[in-house]
Amino acid sequence: VSLSYFEFGTLAAFLVLADAQLDFAVLEIGLGGRLDAVNLIDADCAVITPIGLDHQDYLGDDLAAIGFEKAGIMRPGRPAVCGDPDPPRSLLAHAASIAAPLRRIGRDFHIETTDEGMRFRRNGTALELPLPALDGSHQVSNAATALAAVLELLPSSAQQAEQLAQGLAAVELEGRFERVAERPVVWLDVGHNPMAAQAIARLIRQAREDGTVRHCRCVLAMLADKDAGAVGIELGPHIHEWFCAGLGGDRGQSGAQLQRRLQEVGGRTPIHPFEKVGQALEAAIEASTEDDGVLVFGSFFTAAAAFDYLRETRNAGTSSG
C-alpha cells in the first residue's frame, strides 16, 4: 500500500525537524488522533484541547467515541495535559489504563482572570501573567493548557515568569478571529464546527455590546460534511445578514446549498448565495457601514480565499493610486 500525500508530507516534516536539531518540536495531530500519521511520534507530553463534535463520519457520533480517538495520542507513563474541564470518560479510562499522568484544567491546574491579567496556579505555584494576545475567554483556557504543558517539560520555567509573559504577549495565530481590515472591521476565522462557532459568537456579542461594531454580517462557506445548521444556530443571534459562498472540491458545496441548510434551522435573517468567497465578501463589505463588522467563517479554505481577495483588492488600490 503506497503512502498517501499527507503521509509523505508528514514524513518529510519529521525529516526537516530532525535535521534542524531543535530543542523542542510542537506537532499537531489531526482527525481524531489515534490513527493520524503524526501519531507515529511518541511525544514527551501530549496535549488534548476541549473536545467537540467534528469529523463524525470518521470518529463517531458522540463525545465518548471521539474522546477515545483523542486519547490515542497519549503514551504509557508519559504526562498528558487536558484543557477540557469535563473530558469524556473514555479519555479518562484510557489514561488510567496506560498509567499516563493526566493533568486536567480545573483540577490539577487553574486559571482565573484578574484586573491586571490572569493568575495561573499549579502544584502550589502561582504565576501572575498578562492575558494572551489572542482574543476570547477560550484563549485564556488555551493559554493555561499550554503553560501546563511547558511546566511538565520544563519545570524550572515556573521561575521565569517574565519570559513566560513575553511569550504570551507575542503569540500570533493567523485565521483565529484575526482582524484584517478596518471600517468596516473584517475578521477571519478558520473555525468550522459548532464549538468554534460558539466561541466566536461570544466575541461578536462582546464587540456589539462594547460598541466596536454596530451590526455584524457573516461570509460563510463550509464543506458539505460540516454541520452548517448547528453553526447557524450558534452564530445566528449575532448576525445581521448572511452571505453564503461556495467551496469547490469533492467535499465542497455551493452557496445556494449552504443557504438552504441555514434556512432549515429557521430565523428571519436575510441569506444571500454567491458562487465564490471573494464575491460574498465584496457584497458584505459594500452592505456594511464603517461602524459595522464582517465575519468570514467556516473553513481554512474560506479564510484563505478571503485573504487572497483582500490582498488583491489592496494591491489594486495601491497601484491605481
Coordinates of all heavy atoms in Angstrom, one line a residue, residues 81-133:
V81 N -1.7 16.6 29.2 CA -2.4 17.8 29.7 C -3.7 17.9 29.0 O -3.7 17.8 27.7 CB -1.5 19.0 29.5 CG1 -2.3 20.3 29.9 CG2 -0.2 18.9 30.3
C82 N -4.8 18.1 29.7 CA -6.1 18.2 29.1 C -6.8 19.5 29.4 O -6.9 19.9 30.6 CB -7.0 17.0 29.6 SG -8.7 17.0 28.9
G83 N -7.1 20.3 28.4 CA -7.7 21.6 28.5 C -9.2 21.5 28.5 O -9.9 22.6 28.5
D84 N -9.8 20.3 28.5 CA -11.3 20.2 28.6 C -11.6 20.0 30.1 O -11.2 19.0 30.7 CB -11.7 19.0 27.8 CG -13.2 18.9 27.6 OD1 -13.9 19.3 28.5 OD2 -13.6 18.5 26.5
P85 N -12.4 20.9 30.7 CA -12.8 20.8 32.1 C -13.6 19.6 32.4 O -13.7 19.1 33.6 CB -13.5 22.1 32.4 CG -14.1 22.5 31.0 CD -13.0 22.1 30.0
D86 N -14.3 19.0 31.4 CA -15.2 17.8 31.6 C -14.9 16.8 30.5 O -15.8 16.6 29.6 CB -16.6 18.3 31.7 CG -17.6 17.1 32.0 OD1 -17.1 16.2 32.7 OD2 -18.7 17.2 31.7
P87 N -13.8 16.2 30.5 CA -13.4 15.3 29.4 C -14.3 14.0 29.4 O -14.8 13.6 30.5 CB -12.0 15.0 29.6 CG -11.8 15.2 31.1 CD -12.7 16.3 31.5
P88 N -14.5 13.4 28.3 CA -15.3 12.2 28.2 C -14.7 11.1 29.1 O -13.4 11.0 29.2 CB -15.2 11.8 26.7 CG -14.9 13.0 26.0 CD -14.1 13.8 26.9
R89 N -15.5 10.2 29.6 CA -15.0 9.1 30.5 C -14.1 8.2 29.7 O -13.1 7.6 30.3 CB -16.2 8.4 31.1 CG -17.0 9.1 32.1 CD -18.0 8.2 32.8 NE -18.8 9.0 33.8 CZ -19.8 8.4 34.5 NH1 -20.1 7.1 34.3 NH2 -20.4 9.1 35.4
S90 N -14.3 8.1 28.4 CA -13.4 7.2 27.6 C -12.0 7.7 27.6 O -11.1 6.9 27.6 CB -14.0 7.2 26.2 OG -14.0 8.5 25.6
L91 N -11.8 9.0 27.6 CA -10.5 9.5 27.7 C -9.8 9.3 29.0 O -8.7 8.8 29.1 CB -10.5 11.0 27.4 CG -9.2 11.8 27.2 CD1 -9.3 12.9 26.2 CD2 -8.6 12.3 28.5
L92 N -10.6 9.5 30.1 CA -10.0 9.3 31.4 C -9.7 7.8 31.6 O -8.7 7.4 32.2 CB -11.1 9.7 32.5 CG -11.5 11.2 32.4 CD1 -12.6 11.4 33.5 CD2 -10.4 12.1 32.6
A93 N -10.6 6.9 31.1 CA -10.3 5.5 31.3 C -9.1 5.0 30.6 O -8.3 4.2 31.1 CB -11.5 4.7 30.8
H94 N -8.9 5.6 29.4 CA -7.7 5.2 28.6 C -6.4 5.7 29.3 O -5.4 4.9 29.3 CB -7.8 5.7 27.2 CG -6.6 5.3 26.3 ND1 -6.6 4.0 25.9 CD2 -5.5 5.9 25.8 CE1 -5.5 3.8 25.1 NE2 -4.8 5.0 25.1
A95 N -6.4 6.9 29.8 CA -5.3 7.4 30.5 C -4.9 6.5 31.7 O -3.7 6.2 31.9 CB -5.5 8.8 31.0
A96 N -6.0 6.1 32.4 CA -5.7 5.2 33.6 C -5.2 3.9 33.2 O -4.3 3.3 33.8 CB -7.0 5.1 34.4
S97 N -5.7 3.4 32.0 CA -5.3 2.0 31.6 C -3.8 1.9 31.2 O -3.2 0.9 31.2 CB -6.2 1.5 30.4 OG -5.9 2.3 29.2
I98 N -3.3 3.1 30.7 CA -1.9 3.1 30.3 C -1.0 3.8 31.3 O 0.2 4.1 31.0 CB -1.7 3.7 28.9 CG1 -2.1 5.2 28.9 CG2 -2.5 2.9 27.9 CD1 -1.8 5.9 27.6
A99 N -1.5 4.2 32.5 CA -0.8 4.8 33.5 C -0.1 6.1 33.0 O 1.0 6.4 33.4 CB 0.3 3.9 34.1
A100 N -0.9 6.9 32.2 CA -0.4 8.2 31.8 C -0.9 9.2 32.8 O -2.1 9.4 32.9 CB -0.9 8.5 30.4
P101 N 0.0 9.9 33.4 CA -0.4 11.0 34.4 C -1.1 12.1 33.6 O -0.6 12.8 32.7 CB 0.9 11.5 34.9 CG 2.0 10.5 34.6 CD 1.5 9.8 33.3
L102 N -2.4 12.3 33.9 CA -3.3 13.2 33.2 C -3.5 14.4 34.1 O -4.0 14.4 35.2 CB -4.6 12.6 32.9 CG -5.6 13.4 32.1 CD1 -5.0 13.7 30.7 CD2 -6.9 12.7 31.9
R103 N -3.0 15.6 33.6 CA -3.2 16.9 34.3 C -4.4 17.6 33.7 O -4.4 17.9 32.5 CB -2.0 17.8 34.2 CG -0.7 17.0 34.3 CD -0.5 16.3 35.6 NE 0.9 15.8 35.7 CZ 1.3 14.8 36.5 NH1 0.4 14.3 37.4 NH2 2.5 14.4 36.6
R104 N -5.4 17.9 34.5 CA -6.7 18.4 34.0 C -6.9 19.9 34.4 O -6.7 20.2 35.6 CB -7.9 17.6 34.4 CG -7.9 16.2 33.8 CD -8.8 15.2 34.5 NE -10.2 15.8 34.6 CZ -11.2 15.2 35.3 NH1 -10.9 14.0 35.9 NH2 -12.3 15.7 35.4
I105 N -7.4 20.7 33.5 CA -7.7 22.1 33.9 C -8.9 22.1 34.8 O -9.8 21.3 34.7 CB -8.0 22.9 32.6 CG1 -8.1 24.4 33.0 CG2 -9.3 22.5 32.0 CD1 -8.1 25.3 31.8
G106 N -8.8 22.9 35.9 CA -9.8 22.9 36.9 C -9.6 21.9 38.0 O -10.3 22.0 39.0
R107 N -8.7 21.0 37.8 CA -8.4 20.1 38.9 C -6.9 20.1 39.3 O -6.6 20.3 40.4 CB -8.8 18.6 38.5 CG -8.7 17.6 39.6 CD -8.7 16.2 39.1 NE -7.5 15.8 38.4 CZ -7.2 14.6 38.0 NH1 -8.1 13.6 38.2 NH2 -6.1 14.3 37.3
D108 N -6.0 19.9 38.3 CA -4.6 19.9 38.5 C -3.9 21.2 38.2 O -2.8 21.5 38.7 CB -3.9 18.8 37.7 CG -4.6 17.4 38.0 OD1 -4.4 17.0 39.1 OD2 -5.2 16.9 37.0
F109 N -4.5 22.0 37.4 CA -4.0 23.4 37.2 C -5.2 24.3 37.0 O -6.3 23.9 36.6 CB -3.0 23.5 36.1 CG -3.6 23.1 34.7 CD1 -4.0 24.1 33.8 CD2 -3.6 21.8 34.3 CE1 -4.5 23.7 32.6 CE2 -4.1 21.4 33.1 CZ -4.6 22.4 32.2
H110 N -5.1 25.6 37.3 CA -6.2 26.5 37.3 C -5.8 27.8 36.7 O -4.6 28.2 36.7 CB -6.7 26.7 38.8 CG -7.0 25.5 39.5 ND1 -8.2 24.9 39.6 CD2 -6.1 24.6 40.2 CE1 -8.2 23.8 40.3 NE2 -6.9 23.6 40.7
I111 N -6.8 28.5 36.2 CA -6.6 29.9 35.6 C -7.8 30.8 36.0 O -8.9 30.3 36.0 CB -6.4 29.8 34.1 CG1 -5.9 31.1 33.5 CG2 -7.8 29.4 33.4 CD1 -4.5 31.3 33.7
E112 N -7.5 32.0 36.3 CA -8.5 33.0 36.6 C -8.0 34.3 36.1 O -6.8 34.6 36.1 CB -8.8 33.0 38.1 CG -7.7 33.3 39.0 CD -8.0 33.3 40.4 OE1 -9.2 33.4 40.8 OE2 -7.1 33.1 41.3
T113 N -8.9 35.2 35.6 CA -8.6 36.5 35.1 C -8.6 37.4 36.4 O -9.3 37.2 37.3 CB -9.6 37.0 34.1 OG1 -10.9 37.0 34.6 CG2 -9.5 36.2 32.8
T114 N -7.7 38.4 36.3 CA -7.6 39.4 37.3 C -7.7 40.8 36.7 O -7.7 41.0 35.5 CB -6.2 39.3 38.1 OG1 -5.2 39.6 37.2 CG2 -6.1 37.9 38.6
D115 N -7.6 41.9 37.5 CA -7.6 43.2 37.0 C -6.4 43.5 36.1 O -6.5 44.3 35.2 CB -7.7 44.2 38.1 CG -9.0 44.2 38.9 OD1 -10.0 43.7 38.3 OD2 -9.1 44.6 40.0
E116 N -5.3 42.9 36.5 CA -4.0 43.1 35.7 C -3.8 42.1 34.6 O -2.9 42.3 33.8 CB -2.9 43.1 36.7 CG -2.8 44.2 37.7 CD -3.8 44.0 38.9 OE1 -4.2 42.8 39.1 OE2 -4.3 45.0 39.4
G117 N -4.5 41.0 34.6 CA -4.2 40.0 33.6 C -4.9 38.6 34.0 O -6.1 38.5 34.0
M118 N -4.0 37.7 34.3 CA -4.5 36.4 34.7 C -3.6 35.7 35.7 O -2.4 36.0 35.8 CB -4.8 35.4 33.5 CG -3.5 35.1 32.7 SD -3.9 34.1 31.3 CE -2.3 33.6 30.7
R119 N -4.1 34.8 36.5 CA -3.4 34.1 37.6 C -3.4 32.6 37.2 O -4.5 32.0 37.2 CB -3.9 34.4 39.0 CG -3.1 33.7 40.1 CD -3.6 34.0 41.4 NE -3.5 35.5 41.7 CZ -4.6 36.3 41.8 NH1 -5.8 35.8 41.7 NH2 -4.4 37.6 42.1
F120 N -2.3 32.0 37.1 CA -2.1 30.6 36.8 C -1.6 29.9 38.0 O -0.7 30.3 38.7 CB -1.2 30.4 35.6 CG -0.9 28.9 35.3 CD1 -1.7 28.2 34.5 CD2 0.2 28.3 35.9 CE1 -1.5 26.9 34.2 CE2 0.5 27.0 35.6 CZ -0.3 26.3 34.7
R121 N -2.3 28.8 38.4 CA -1.9 28.1 39.6 C -1.7 26.6 39.3 O -2.5 26.0 38.6 CB -3.0 28.2 40.7 CG -3.1 29.6 41.3 CD -4.1 29.7 42.4 NE -5.4 29.6 42.0 CZ -6.2 28.5 42.3 NH1 -5.8 27.5 43.0 NH2 -7.5 28.5 41.8
R122 N -0.7 26.0 39.8 CA -0.4 24.6 39.6 C 0.6 24.1 40.7 O 1.7 24.7 40.9 CB 0.3 24.4 38.3 CG 0.8 23.0 38.0 CD 1.5 23.0 36.6 NE 2.1 21.7 36.3 CZ 3.4 21.4 36.7 NH1 4.1 22.2 37.4 NH2 3.9 20.2 36.4
N123 N 0.2 23.0 41.4 CA 1.1 22.4 42.4 C 1.7 23.4 43.4 O 2.9 23.4 43.7 CB 2.3 21.7 41.7 CG 1.9 20.5 40.9 OD1 0.8 20.0 41.1 ND2 2.8 20.0 40.1
G124 N 0.8 24.3 43.9 CA 1.3 25.3 44.9 C 2.0 26.5 44.3 O 2.3 27.4 45.1
T125 N 2.2 26.5 43.0 CA 2.9 27.7 42.4 C 1.9 28.6 41.7 O 0.9 28.1 41.0 CB 3.9 27.2 41.3 OG1 4.9 26.4 41.9 CG2 4.5 28.3 40.6
A126 N 2.0 29.9 42.0 CA 1.1 30.8 41.4 C 1.9 31.8 40.5 O 2.9 32.3 41.0 CB 0.3 31.6 42.4
L127 N 1.4 32.0 39.3 CA 2.1 32.9 38.4 C 1.1 34.0 38.0 O 0.0 33.8 37.5 CB 2.6 32.2 37.1 CG 3.6 31.1 37.3 CD1 3.8 30.3 36.0 CD2 4.9 31.7 37.8
E128 N 1.6 35.3 38.1 CA 0.8 36.4 37.7 C 1.3 36.8 36.3 O 2.4 37.1 36.1 CB 1.0 37.6 38.6 CG 0.6 37.4 40.0 CD -0.9 37.2 40.2 OE1 -1.7 37.7 39.3 OE2 -1.4 36.6 41.2
L129 N 0.4 36.7 35.3 CA 0.8 36.8 33.9 C -0.2 37.7 33.1 O -1.4 37.9 33.6 CB 0.8 35.4 33.2 CG 1.8 34.4 33.8 CD1 1.5 33.0 33.3 CD2 3.2 34.8 33.4
P130 N 0.2 38.3 32.0 CA -0.7 39.1 31.2 C -1.7 38.2 30.5 O -1.4 37.0 30.3 CB 0.2 39.8 30.2 CG 1.4 38.9 30.1 CD 1.6 38.3 31.4
L131 N -2.8 38.8 30.0 CA -3.7 38.0 29.2 C -3.0 37.7 27.9 O -2.2 38.4 27.4 CB -5.0 38.8 28.9 CG -5.9 39.0 30.1 CD1 -7.0 40.0 29.7 CD2 -6.5 37.7 30.6
P132 N -3.4 36.5 27.2 CA -2.8 36.2 25.9 C -3.2 37.2 24.9 O -4.2 37.9 25.0 CB -3.4 34.8 25.6 CG -4.6 34.7 26.4 CD -4.4 35.5 27.7
A133 N -2.3 37.4 23.9 CA -2.6 38.3 22.8 C -3.8 38.0 22.0 O -4.4 38.9 21.3 CB -1.3 38.4 21.9

